[in-house]
Amino acid sequence: MIYIKNGLCIDPKTGMERICDIVTRGERILRIGERLDKSEEFRRLPRHEIQTIDAEGYIVAPGLVDVHVHFRDPGFTEKEDIRTGAAAAAAGGFTSVIMMANTKPAADGEETLRYMLEKGASTPIHVYACGAVTKDMAGKELTDMAALRETGASGFTDDGKPLMDEALVVKAMEKCRELGVPISFHEEDPAYIKESGVNAGKEAEKLGLGGADRQAEISLIRRDIGLAKKTGACVNIQHISTKEGVELVRQAKAEGIDVHAEATPHHIALTQEAVSKYGTLAKMNPPLRTDEDRLAIIEGLRDGTIDIIATDHAPHTKQEKEKPFTEAPSGIIGLETALALGITELVGKKKLTMRELLTVMSLNPAKLYGLDAGYLAEGGPADMVIFDPDCCQTFQRFMSKASNSPFAGRTCKSEIAYTICKGKVAYIKNMSMAVSDD
Protein backbone atom coordinates (compact mmCIF):
# COMPACT_ATOMS: atom_id res chain seq x y z
CA MET A 1 0.00 0.00 0.00
CA ILE A 2 1.18 3.51 -0.80
CA TYR A 3 0.03 6.71 0.89
CA ILE A 4 0.81 9.82 -1.16
CA LYS A 5 0.15 13.01 0.78
CA ASN A 6 0.07 16.74 0.09
CA GLY A 7 0.56 16.50 -3.68
CA LEU A 8 -1.14 18.65 -6.32
CA CYS A 9 -3.29 15.94 -7.88
CA ILE A 10 -4.26 16.58 -11.50
CA ASP A 11 -6.75 14.33 -13.26
CA PRO A 12 -7.27 15.14 -16.95
CA LYS A 13 -10.45 13.06 -17.09
CA THR A 14 -12.51 14.91 -14.46
CA GLY A 15 -10.56 18.17 -14.41
CA MET A 16 -9.62 17.70 -10.76
CA GLU A 17 -6.69 19.91 -9.79
CA ARG A 18 -6.24 20.23 -6.03
CA ILE A 19 -3.97 19.43 -3.11
CA CYS A 20 -5.01 16.07 -1.71
CA ASP A 21 -3.89 12.58 -0.68
CA ILE A 22 -4.09 9.23 -2.45
CA VAL A 23 -4.07 5.78 -0.86
CA THR A 24 -3.53 2.68 -2.99
CA ARG A 25 -4.32 -0.95 -2.22
CA GLY A 26 -3.08 -3.67 -4.52
CA GLU A 27 -3.12 -2.43 -8.11
CA ARG A 28 -5.93 0.10 -7.59
CA ILE A 29 -6.48 3.46 -5.96
CA LEU A 30 -8.41 3.01 -2.72
CA ARG A 31 -9.13 6.62 -1.73
CA ILE A 32 -8.54 10.18 -2.92
CA GLY A 33 -9.20 13.03 -0.50
CA GLU A 34 -7.81 15.52 1.97
CA ARG A 35 -5.91 14.45 5.10
CA LEU A 36 -6.77 10.80 4.61
CA ASP A 37 -4.43 9.80 7.42
CA LYS A 38 -6.90 11.34 9.88
CA SER A 39 -9.77 9.12 8.74
CA GLU A 40 -10.99 6.11 10.67
CA GLU A 41 -10.62 3.96 7.55
CA PHE A 42 -6.93 4.86 7.29
CA ARG A 43 -6.35 4.06 10.97
CA ARG A 44 -7.69 0.56 10.37
CA LEU A 45 -5.18 -0.13 7.60
CA PRO A 46 -2.13 -2.28 8.48
CA ARG A 47 0.45 0.44 9.12
CA HIS A 48 3.45 -1.84 8.53
CA GLU A 49 2.31 -2.33 4.92
CA ILE A 50 2.02 1.38 4.09
CA GLN A 51 4.77 3.30 2.28
CA THR A 52 4.30 7.03 2.74
CA ILE A 53 5.42 9.56 0.14
CA ASP A 54 5.26 13.25 1.04
CA ALA A 55 4.54 14.91 -2.32
CA GLU A 56 4.30 18.50 -1.07
CA GLY A 57 5.45 20.79 -3.88
CA TYR A 58 5.04 18.05 -6.46
CA ILE A 59 2.40 17.16 -9.02
CA VAL A 60 0.73 13.76 -8.81
CA ALA A 61 -0.71 12.74 -12.17
CA PRO A 62 -1.83 9.62 -13.99
CA GLY A 63 1.03 7.54 -15.33
CA LEU A 64 1.93 8.65 -18.84
CA VAL A 65 0.92 6.53 -21.83
CA ASP A 66 3.10 6.23 -24.96
CA VAL A 67 1.43 4.50 -27.89
CA HIS A 68 4.51 4.54 -30.13
CA VAL A 69 7.75 2.93 -28.93
CA HIS A 70 10.37 0.69 -30.52
CA PHE A 71 11.93 -1.71 -28.02
CA ARG A 72 13.83 -3.64 -30.74
CA ASP A 73 13.03 -7.00 -29.17
CA PRO A 74 13.26 -9.54 -30.73
CA GLY A 75 16.02 -9.12 -33.26
CA PHE A 76 17.86 -5.90 -32.46
CA THR A 77 18.56 -6.16 -28.75
CA GLU A 78 21.97 -4.53 -29.06
CA LYS A 79 19.95 -1.30 -29.44
CA GLU A 80 17.31 -1.92 -26.76
CA ASP A 81 15.33 -4.77 -25.28
CA ILE A 82 11.95 -4.92 -23.63
CA ARG A 83 13.33 -4.74 -20.09
CA THR A 84 15.64 -1.77 -20.73
CA GLY A 85 12.92 -0.07 -22.75
CA ALA A 86 10.49 -0.49 -19.87
CA ALA A 87 13.10 0.91 -17.46
CA ALA A 88 13.52 3.95 -19.69
CA ALA A 89 9.74 4.36 -19.83
CA ALA A 90 9.42 4.24 -16.04
CA ALA A 91 12.23 6.79 -15.69
CA GLY A 92 10.24 9.05 -18.00
CA GLY A 93 7.01 8.72 -16.01
CA PHE A 94 5.35 6.26 -18.41
CA THR A 95 3.35 3.40 -16.94
CA SER A 96 1.89 2.10 -20.22
CA VAL A 97 3.57 1.77 -23.61
CA ILE A 98 2.65 0.18 -26.93
CA MET A 99 5.47 -1.43 -28.91
CA MET A 100 5.63 -1.24 -32.68
CA ALA A 101 5.77 -4.32 -34.89
CA ASN A 102 9.04 -3.77 -36.79
CA THR A 103 11.04 -6.34 -34.87
CA LYS A 104 12.93 -9.29 -36.38
CA PRO A 105 10.96 -11.36 -36.99
CA ALA A 106 8.20 -8.78 -37.34
CA ALA A 107 5.20 -9.06 -35.03
CA ASP A 108 3.21 -10.61 -37.85
CA GLY A 109 2.56 -13.94 -36.17
CA GLU A 110 1.19 -15.15 -32.88
CA GLU A 111 4.48 -16.63 -31.62
CA THR A 112 6.45 -13.39 -31.91
CA LEU A 113 3.63 -11.28 -30.50
CA ARG A 114 3.18 -13.67 -27.59
CA TYR A 115 6.91 -13.49 -26.82
CA MET A 116 6.80 -9.68 -26.79
CA LEU A 117 3.75 -9.55 -24.53
CA GLU A 118 5.01 -12.19 -22.11
CA LYS A 119 8.38 -10.46 -21.75
CA GLY A 120 6.58 -7.15 -21.34
CA ALA A 121 4.48 -8.63 -18.54
CA SER A 122 7.67 -9.35 -16.57
CA THR A 123 8.54 -5.64 -16.39
CA PRO A 124 7.31 -3.17 -13.73
CA ILE A 125 5.06 -1.32 -16.21
CA HIS A 126 2.25 -2.20 -18.63
CA VAL A 127 3.76 -3.19 -21.99
CA TYR A 128 1.42 -3.70 -24.94
CA ALA A 129 2.13 -4.32 -28.62
CA CYS A 130 0.67 -3.68 -32.04
CA GLY A 131 0.55 -6.43 -34.61
CA ALA A 132 1.87 -5.92 -38.12
CA VAL A 133 -0.65 -5.09 -40.84
CA THR A 134 1.17 -7.10 -43.50
CA LYS A 135 3.28 -10.24 -43.45
CA ASP A 136 6.93 -9.42 -42.81
CA MET A 137 5.80 -5.78 -43.12
CA ALA A 138 6.31 -6.18 -46.87
CA GLY A 139 3.07 -4.41 -47.80
CA LYS A 140 1.85 -7.32 -49.95
CA GLU A 141 -0.38 -9.60 -47.89
CA LEU A 142 -2.42 -9.01 -44.75
CA THR A 143 -1.53 -10.84 -41.56
CA ASP A 144 -4.11 -12.94 -39.73
CA MET A 145 -5.30 -9.87 -37.88
CA ALA A 146 -8.06 -11.69 -36.01
CA ALA A 147 -5.56 -14.22 -34.61
CA LEU A 148 -3.15 -11.45 -33.62
CA ARG A 149 -5.95 -9.55 -31.91
CA GLU A 150 -6.92 -12.72 -30.05
CA THR A 151 -3.30 -13.10 -28.94
CA GLY A 152 -3.34 -9.57 -27.54
CA ALA A 153 -2.51 -7.05 -30.27
CA SER A 154 -3.72 -3.61 -29.16
CA GLY A 155 -3.95 -2.36 -32.73
CA PHE A 156 -2.14 -2.67 -36.05
CA THR A 157 0.62 -0.81 -37.86
CA ASP A 158 3.49 -1.31 -40.27
CA ASP A 159 5.18 1.73 -38.74
CA GLY A 160 8.49 2.41 -40.40
CA LYS A 161 7.09 1.41 -43.77
CA PRO A 162 4.28 3.17 -45.64
CA LEU A 163 1.48 1.05 -47.05
CA MET A 164 1.27 1.88 -50.74
CA ASP A 165 -1.31 -0.66 -52.00
CA GLU A 166 -4.60 1.24 -51.63
CA ALA A 167 -6.80 -1.84 -52.03
CA LEU A 168 -4.82 -3.56 -49.28
CA VAL A 169 -5.18 -0.51 -47.04
CA VAL A 170 -8.96 -0.62 -47.49
CA LYS A 171 -9.04 -4.31 -46.49
CA ALA A 172 -6.87 -3.60 -43.46
CA MET A 173 -9.08 -0.70 -42.38
CA GLU A 174 -12.22 -2.79 -42.77
CA LYS A 175 -10.69 -5.58 -40.67
CA CYS A 176 -9.61 -3.19 -37.93
CA ARG A 177 -13.10 -1.67 -37.87
CA GLU A 178 -14.50 -5.19 -37.48
CA LEU A 179 -12.06 -5.96 -34.66
CA GLY A 180 -12.70 -2.61 -32.97
CA VAL A 181 -9.06 -1.44 -32.88
CA PRO A 182 -7.18 1.49 -34.41
CA ILE A 183 -4.89 1.20 -37.39
CA SER A 184 -1.86 3.52 -37.39
CA PHE A 185 0.02 4.78 -40.42
CA HIS A 186 3.54 5.94 -41.18
CA GLU A 187 2.74 8.49 -43.87
CA GLU A 188 5.75 8.87 -46.17
CA ASP A 189 5.33 8.15 -49.87
CA PRO A 190 8.78 7.09 -51.17
CA ALA A 191 7.99 8.68 -54.54
CA TYR A 192 8.63 12.07 -52.93
CA ILE A 193 11.80 11.07 -51.04
CA LYS A 194 15.30 11.27 -52.50
CA GLU A 195 17.02 10.75 -49.17
CA SER A 196 15.17 10.07 -45.92
CA GLY A 197 15.72 11.70 -42.57
CA VAL A 198 16.13 15.33 -43.64
CA ASN A 199 13.58 17.79 -44.94
CA ALA A 200 13.90 18.76 -48.59
CA GLY A 201 15.19 22.30 -48.19
CA LYS A 202 18.20 24.31 -47.17
CA GLU A 203 19.58 21.81 -44.65
CA ALA A 204 19.41 19.00 -47.19
CA GLU A 205 21.15 21.25 -49.70
CA LYS A 206 24.01 21.83 -47.25
CA LEU A 207 24.50 18.07 -47.19
CA GLY A 208 24.25 17.84 -50.95
CA LEU A 209 21.01 15.88 -50.66
CA GLY A 210 17.52 16.12 -52.10
CA GLY A 211 15.88 15.08 -48.82
CA ALA A 212 12.27 14.15 -48.08
CA ASP A 213 9.66 16.43 -49.60
CA ARG A 214 6.64 17.40 -47.48
CA GLN A 215 4.33 15.97 -50.15
CA ALA A 216 5.45 12.51 -49.06
CA GLU A 217 3.41 12.99 -45.89
CA ILE A 218 0.64 15.19 -47.24
CA SER A 219 -0.32 12.83 -50.06
CA LEU A 220 -0.71 9.76 -47.87
CA ILE A 221 -2.55 11.60 -45.09
CA ARG A 222 -5.02 12.84 -47.70
CA ARG A 223 -5.43 9.31 -49.09
CA ASP A 224 -5.91 7.65 -45.71
CA ILE A 225 -8.39 10.23 -44.46
CA GLY A 226 -10.44 9.53 -47.58
CA LEU A 227 -10.25 5.79 -46.96
CA ALA A 228 -11.15 6.26 -43.29
CA LYS A 229 -14.26 8.13 -44.38
CA LYS A 230 -15.10 5.31 -46.81
CA THR A 231 -14.53 2.42 -44.38
CA GLY A 232 -15.47 3.96 -41.02
CA ALA A 233 -12.18 2.74 -39.54
CA CYS A 234 -10.44 4.37 -36.60
CA VAL A 235 -7.25 5.75 -38.16
CA ASN A 236 -4.22 7.16 -36.36
CA ILE A 237 -1.72 9.36 -38.21
CA GLN A 238 1.68 8.76 -36.64
CA HIS A 239 4.33 11.43 -35.94
CA ILE A 240 2.70 14.20 -37.99
CA SER A 241 5.23 16.76 -39.27
CA THR A 242 3.65 19.17 -41.77
CA LYS A 243 1.27 22.10 -41.41
CA GLU A 244 -0.73 20.77 -44.37
CA GLY A 245 -1.07 17.40 -42.66
CA VAL A 246 -2.35 19.07 -39.51
CA GLU A 247 -4.94 20.99 -41.53
CA LEU A 248 -6.11 17.82 -43.30
CA VAL A 249 -6.69 16.15 -39.93
CA ARG A 250 -8.48 19.25 -38.65
CA GLN A 251 -10.86 19.23 -41.62
CA ALA A 252 -11.45 15.48 -41.29
CA LYS A 253 -12.41 15.82 -37.64
CA ALA A 254 -14.82 18.61 -38.55
CA GLU A 255 -16.47 16.14 -40.93
CA GLY A 256 -16.81 13.56 -38.17
CA ILE A 257 -14.24 11.14 -39.62
CA ASP A 258 -12.66 8.90 -36.98
CA VAL A 259 -9.11 10.12 -37.45
CA HIS A 260 -6.48 10.86 -34.81
CA ALA A 261 -2.93 12.18 -34.89
CA GLU A 262 0.29 11.93 -32.90
CA ALA A 263 2.95 14.59 -32.47
CA THR A 264 6.42 13.81 -31.19
CA PRO A 265 8.33 15.96 -28.69
CA HIS A 266 11.10 16.45 -31.25
CA HIS A 267 8.74 17.83 -33.87
CA ILE A 268 7.47 20.22 -31.18
CA ALA A 269 10.90 21.32 -29.95
CA LEU A 270 13.13 21.28 -33.05
CA THR A 271 13.22 22.36 -36.69
CA GLN A 272 15.27 21.30 -39.71
CA GLU A 273 18.14 23.56 -38.59
CA ALA A 274 18.91 21.00 -35.89
CA VAL A 275 20.49 18.80 -38.57
CA SER A 276 23.38 21.27 -38.90
CA LYS A 277 23.87 21.32 -35.13
CA TYR A 278 23.33 17.68 -34.19
CA GLY A 279 24.00 15.78 -37.40
CA THR A 280 22.59 12.25 -37.40
CA LEU A 281 21.13 12.78 -33.92
CA ALA A 282 18.58 15.00 -35.70
CA LYS A 283 17.92 12.44 -38.45
CA MET A 284 14.46 10.92 -38.19
CA ASN A 285 11.47 9.86 -40.29
CA PRO A 286 9.50 11.95 -40.96
CA PRO A 287 12.18 14.63 -40.79
CA LEU A 288 12.25 17.81 -38.76
CA ARG A 289 10.71 20.54 -40.89
CA THR A 290 10.25 24.32 -40.75
CA ASP A 291 9.33 26.52 -37.82
CA GLU A 292 6.00 27.15 -39.54
CA ASP A 293 5.33 23.42 -39.41
CA ARG A 294 6.42 23.24 -35.77
CA LEU A 295 4.05 26.05 -34.81
CA ALA A 296 1.20 24.39 -36.73
CA ILE A 297 1.75 21.21 -34.73
CA ILE A 298 1.58 23.17 -31.48
CA GLU A 299 -1.62 24.87 -32.65
CA GLY A 300 -2.99 21.44 -33.53
CA LEU A 301 -2.37 20.35 -29.94
CA ARG A 302 -3.97 23.53 -28.64
CA ASP A 303 -7.21 23.13 -30.58
CA GLY A 304 -7.51 19.34 -30.26
CA THR A 305 -6.67 18.48 -33.87
CA ILE A 306 -3.70 16.47 -32.60
CA ASP A 307 -4.84 14.13 -29.83
CA ILE A 308 -1.61 12.60 -28.65
CA ILE A 309 2.03 13.23 -27.87
CA ALA A 310 3.94 10.01 -28.58
CA THR A 311 7.71 9.68 -28.45
CA ASP A 312 8.49 7.32 -31.35
CA HIS A 313 11.29 6.10 -29.04
CA ALA A 314 13.79 4.67 -31.54
CA PRO A 315 17.06 3.45 -30.02
CA HIS A 316 20.18 2.93 -32.15
CA THR A 317 23.76 2.15 -31.20
CA LYS A 318 26.42 4.85 -31.02
CA GLN A 319 28.32 3.14 -33.82
CA GLU A 320 25.29 3.25 -36.13
CA LYS A 321 24.64 6.93 -35.50
CA GLU A 322 28.29 7.80 -36.10
CA LYS A 323 28.05 6.65 -39.71
CA PRO A 324 27.80 9.22 -42.53
CA PHE A 325 24.39 10.91 -42.71
CA THR A 326 23.06 8.87 -45.62
CA GLU A 327 24.14 5.59 -43.97
CA ALA A 328 23.06 6.25 -40.38
CA PRO A 329 19.62 5.00 -39.31
CA SER A 330 16.79 7.43 -38.58
CA GLY A 331 15.30 7.93 -35.15
CA ILE A 332 16.05 9.09 -31.62
CA ILE A 333 15.22 7.94 -28.12
CA GLY A 334 12.50 9.93 -26.37
CA LEU A 335 10.91 8.31 -23.34
CA GLU A 336 13.09 9.94 -20.70
CA THR A 337 12.94 13.46 -22.14
CA ALA A 338 9.29 13.68 -23.24
CA LEU A 339 7.58 15.09 -20.15
CA ALA A 340 10.29 17.67 -19.47
CA LEU A 341 10.23 18.81 -23.09
CA GLY A 342 6.44 19.09 -22.96
CA ILE A 343 6.57 21.19 -19.81
CA THR A 344 9.41 23.37 -21.12
CA GLU A 345 8.14 23.90 -24.67
CA LEU A 346 4.38 23.87 -24.12
CA VAL A 347 3.42 24.59 -20.52
CA GLY A 348 6.36 26.90 -19.83
CA LYS A 349 5.63 28.88 -22.99
CA LYS A 350 1.90 28.99 -22.20
CA LYS A 351 0.86 26.95 -25.22
CA LEU A 352 -0.90 24.32 -23.07
CA THR A 353 -1.92 24.12 -19.43
CA MET A 354 -0.45 21.34 -17.34
CA ARG A 355 -3.79 19.52 -17.44
CA GLU A 356 -3.94 19.82 -21.23
CA LEU A 357 -0.41 18.43 -21.52
CA LEU A 358 -1.33 15.49 -19.29
CA THR A 359 -4.43 14.91 -21.41
CA VAL A 360 -2.41 14.37 -24.58
CA MET A 361 0.25 12.34 -22.76
CA SER A 362 -2.02 10.05 -20.73
CA LEU A 363 -5.81 10.19 -21.13
CA ASN A 364 -6.10 10.57 -24.91
CA PRO A 365 -3.61 7.86 -25.90
CA ALA A 366 -5.23 5.49 -23.41
CA LYS A 367 -8.68 6.21 -24.86
CA LEU A 368 -7.54 5.60 -28.43
CA TYR A 369 -6.35 2.10 -27.59
CA GLY A 370 -8.97 1.29 -24.97
CA LEU A 371 -6.48 1.07 -22.09
CA ASP A 372 -7.52 1.38 -18.46
CA ALA A 373 -5.11 4.24 -17.87
CA GLY A 374 -4.71 7.99 -17.98
CA TYR A 375 -6.89 9.04 -15.05
CA LEU A 376 -6.98 9.30 -11.25
CA ALA A 377 -10.06 7.87 -9.55
CA GLU A 378 -11.05 5.74 -6.61
CA GLY A 379 -11.13 2.19 -7.94
CA GLY A 380 -8.95 3.24 -10.88
CA PRO A 381 -5.48 1.93 -11.66
CA ALA A 382 -2.72 2.76 -9.19
CA ASP A 383 -0.53 4.06 -12.03
CA MET A 384 0.92 7.49 -11.28
CA VAL A 385 3.83 9.82 -11.90
CA ILE A 386 5.04 12.27 -9.25
CA PHE A 387 7.18 15.12 -10.54
CA ASP A 388 8.51 18.54 -9.71
CA PRO A 389 7.41 20.88 -12.53
CA ASP A 390 9.74 23.69 -11.47
CA CYS A 391 13.01 21.85 -10.90
CA CYS A 392 15.55 22.05 -13.74
CA GLN A 393 17.36 18.93 -14.93
CA THR A 394 20.09 18.38 -17.49
CA PHE A 395 19.81 15.18 -19.52
CA GLN A 396 23.09 13.32 -19.15
CA ARG A 397 22.59 9.59 -18.64
CA PHE A 398 19.73 7.41 -19.77
CA MET A 399 18.15 4.19 -18.53
CA SER A 400 17.81 3.16 -22.17
CA LYS A 401 20.62 1.13 -23.70
CA ALA A 402 20.90 3.91 -26.26
CA SER A 403 21.79 7.59 -25.99
CA ASN A 404 20.95 8.79 -29.50
CA SER A 405 19.25 12.05 -28.58
CA PRO A 406 19.82 15.65 -29.63
CA PHE A 407 18.53 16.60 -26.16
CA ALA A 408 21.50 15.07 -24.31
CA GLY A 409 23.12 17.91 -22.39
CA ARG A 410 20.01 20.10 -22.60
CA THR A 411 18.49 21.57 -19.44
CA CYS A 412 14.69 21.49 -19.15
CA LYS A 413 12.05 22.20 -16.52
CA SER A 414 10.66 19.34 -14.39
CA GLU A 415 12.09 16.21 -12.88
CA ILE A 416 10.41 12.92 -12.08
CA ALA A 417 10.64 11.70 -8.51
CA TYR A 418 8.48 8.57 -8.62
CA THR A 419 6.74 6.41 -11.16
CA ILE A 420 4.20 4.10 -9.56
CA CYS A 421 2.65 1.28 -11.59
CA LYS A 422 0.33 -1.51 -10.48
CA GLY A 423 0.52 -0.06 -6.97
CA LYS A 424 4.30 -0.48 -6.76
CA VAL A 425 7.21 1.90 -7.21
CA ALA A 426 8.60 1.31 -10.71
CA TYR A 427 11.08 4.20 -10.61
CA ILE A 428 12.44 6.40 -7.84
CA LYS A 429 14.90 9.27 -7.99
CA ASN A 430 16.95 10.14 -4.97
CA MET A 431 15.45 13.52 -4.21
CA SER A 432 14.66 15.46 -1.05
CA MET A 433 11.25 13.90 -0.65
CA ALA A 434 10.23 12.42 2.64
CA VAL A 435 9.70 8.70 2.16
CA SER A 436 8.87 6.38 5.00
CA ASP A 437 7.28 3.11 5.85
CA ASP A 438 4.59 3.91 8.38
Side-chain angles (χ1 to χ4, degrees):
M1 303 179 73
I2 299 177
Y3 171 46
I4 304 166
K5 64 180 183 179
N6 303 323
L8 175 58
C9 297
I10 301 179
D11 175 35
K13 186 174 183 179
T14 62
M16 176 184 71
E17 192 165 339
R18 63 190 175 100
I19 304 292
C20 61
D21 302 347
I22 296 177
V23 176
T24 72
R25 182 163 60 190
E27 297 188 5
R28 314 304 289 183
I29 292 175
L30 177 64
R31 290 286 180 266
I32 299 176
E34 296 178 7
R35 302 188 68 182
L36 293 178
D37 59 335
K38 304 301 182 183
S39 69
E40 184 61 33
E41 181 183 25
F42 187 90
R43 292 192 182 96
R44 291 198 299 266
L45 296 175
R47 301 302 291 267
H48 66 282
E49 296 180 10
I50 300 174
Q51 179 184 10
T52 298
I53 298 173
D54 188 347
E56 185 174 0
Y58 292 77
I59 289 175
V60 181
L64 306 180
V65 178
D66 192 344
V67 297
H68 192 153
V69 303
H70 300 269
F71 282 175
R72 310 300 193 196
D73 189 355
F76 305 101
T77 52
E78 71 279 5
K79 303 172 188 269
E80 190 82 281
D81 60 55
I82 290 171
R83 290 192 179 92
T84 60
F94 291 90
T95 55
S96 298
V97 297
I98 298 181
M99 297 182 289
M100 297 294 97
N102 60 338
T103 50
K104 187 177 182 180
D108 60 357
E110 298 156 73
E111 183 178 353
T112 300
L113 183 62
R114 190 175 294 112
Y115 160 82
M116 294 168 69
L117 293 173
E118 288 178 354
K119 192 167 181 180
S122 70
T123 72
I125 67 167
H126 304 286
V127 179
Y128 305 93
C130 279
V133 176
T134 64
K135 292 183 179 180
D136 199 32
M137 291 182 56
K140 302 296 184 183
E141 183 181 357
L142 291 184
T143 57
D144 187 341
M145 299 170 87
L148 289 170
R149 174 61 175 159
E150 181 68 24
T151 303
S154 297
F156 292 89
T157 182
D158 273 9
D159 176 55
K161 293 185 177 181
L163 287 165
M164 299 311 300
D165 185 333
E166 186 170 319
L168 194 71
V169 172
V170 169
K171 290 179 181 178
M173 284 188 182
E174 290 174 341
K175 192 63 180 179
C176 285
R177 183 197 62 205
E178 177 187 323
L179 294 171
V181 295
I183 182 168
S184 297
F185 290 99
H186 182 121
E187 306 286 42
E188 282 197 295
D189 186 340
Y192 294 96
I193 299 174
K194 293 181 179 178
E195 293 89 15
S196 64
V198 60
N199 184 49
K202 60 182 181 179
E203 296 303 318
E205 291 171 6
K206 289 179 184 178
L207 295 169
L209 303 176
D213 191 272
R214 61 200 306 104
Q215 286 299 325
E217 175 174 283
I218 297 163
S219 61
L220 288 189
I221 291 178
R222 182 180 289 112
R223 181 200 70 178
D224 291 335
I225 284 174
L227 296 181
K229 182 177 182 178
K230 175 181 177 181
T231 62
C234 176
V235 168
N236 179 39
I237 308 300
Q238 296 176 308
H239 40 48
I240 199 164
S241 70
T242 60
K243 62 180 181 179
E244 295 90 346
V246 174
E247 184 57 31
L248 285 168
V249 173
R250 182 178 287 114
Q251 293 172 7
K253 287 194 167 189
E255 289 185 48
I257 301 171
D258 194 2
V259 61
H260 306 265
E262 304 169 0
T264 71
H266 42 276
H267 285 106
I268 293 166
L270 299 174
T271 61
Q272 61 184 348
E273 285 75 16
V275 173
S276 289
K277 184 174 182 179
Y278 301 108
T280 61
L281 291 179
K283 180 182 180 181
M284 65 272 298
N285 299 330
L288 300 169
R289 301 200 191 271
T290 69
D291 195 52
E292 197 174 354
D293 294 305
R294 186 185 71 85
L295 293 173
I297 289 169
I298 293 172
E299 184 57 33
L301 287 163
R302 283 169 59 92
D303 69 14
T305 297
I306 299 173
D307 317 83
I308 293 165
I309 290 177
T311 68
D312 190 13
H313 178 80
H316 294 293
T317 65
K318 186 174 184 288
Q319 292 74 20
E320 288 175 307
K321 277 294 193 178
E322 287 177 342
K323 291 180 178 180
F325 194 91
T326 55
E327 299 175 26
S330 291
I332 65 171
I333 60 171
L335 284 163
E336 295 172 70
T337 55
L339 180 60
L341 285 168
I343 290 171
T344 301
E345 295 292 332
L346 298 173
V347 179
K349 296 180 179 179
K350 301 189 184 305
K351 304 299 183 182
L352 298 180
T353 66
M354 186 66 74
R355 181 153 50 89
E356 288 169 338
L357 177 66
L358 293 170
T359 298
V360 296
M361 293 191 74
S362 61
L363 181 63
N364 284 356
K367 286 169 62 177
L368 177 63
Y369 281 88
L371 308 181
D372 184 25
Y375 66 99
L376 297 177
E378 293 181 355
D383 300 343
M384 289 166 279
V385 57
I386 302 173
F387 62 95
D388 182 345
D390 298 316
C391 176
C392 287
Q393 65 168 319
T394 301
F395 301 117
Q396 293 176 325
R397 291 180 293 177
F398 298 100
M399 297 294 288
S400 171
K401 280 186 181 181
S403 58
N404 54 306
S405 171
F407 303 114
R410 177 168 173 172
T411 299
C412 289
K413 292 287 287 288
S414 96
E415 194 166 32
I416 291 163
Y418 283 88
T419 302
I420 296 166
C421 188
K422 310 172 196 177
K424 296 180 180 178
V425 174
Y427 170 82
I428 181 172
K429 183 172 181 63
N430 185 22
M431 300 180 69
S432 58
M433 296 185 68
V435 184
S436 62
D437 292 318
D438 283 344

